Amino acid sequence: MERVKGLGELERSIMDILWAQSTALTAREVGRLIADRDLAPTTVMTVLDRLTRKGFLHRTRDGRAWRYAPAATRDAYVAELMLEALDMTGDRSAALTRFAQAVSGPEAEILRRALTELEDE
């Protein structure tokens, strides 16, 4: 994922399914796991192909089918979204300060720890 590109509702649903798995899935397997929708197999394949082109998925050949796996973790995706949001502001310092004021005590402690670890490197 060089730059995060937006995910549509169906793309997010499919990414959620793939992020929850420990192994790569075929389009048919993904289609079975989308319980709340009655999607044509071609629709699932089209969305998987689009996500692959966008850089969200890697695919490998498994006989006649493709297996799809996330190119990055959900955490990495969310971090990229946060960085892009910072890029939208004219004042990153103000945005970061406002963010720090809005996080909970435990979240602030996680941020402190992460920053300390980075300084120690």
Side-chain angles (χ1 to χ4, degrees), residues 73-118:
T73 65
R74 181 191 319 260
D75 293 340
Y77 170 67
V78 171
E80 287 297 320
L81 287 176
M82 293 167 71
L83 289 170
E84 283 193 10
L86 275 176
D87 286 345
M88 293 187 323
T89 181
D91 186 350
R92 286 177 73 113
S93 178
L96 283 168
T97 299
R98 178 66 187 109
F99 178 77
Q101 292 168 342
V103 298
S104 68
E107 292 167 335
E109 183 55 37
I110 292 168
L111 287 171
R112 273 193 220 62
R113 223 176 338 187
L115 291 169
T116 300
E117 289 173 12
L118 286 171

Side-chain angles (χ1 to χ4, degrees), residues 14-61:
I14 287 176
M15 287 305 301
D16 285 341
I17 287 168
L18 290 166
W19 276 321
Q21 303 302 310
S22 59
T23 183
L25 300 178
T26 64
R28 183 174 301 223
E29 292 166 333
V30 170
R32 278 193 221 119
L33 291 171
I34 300 178
D36 61 335
R37 299 179 185 234
D38 184 25
L39 299 174
T42 54
T43 301
V44 175
M45 287 186 278
T46 298
V47 175
L48 289 167
D49 184 56
R50 187 177 332 137
L51 287 167
T52 301
R53 283 194 319 264
K54 286 183 174 184
F56 285 98
L57 299 176
H58 292 298
R59 70 180 183 184
T60 55
R61 193 54 105 163

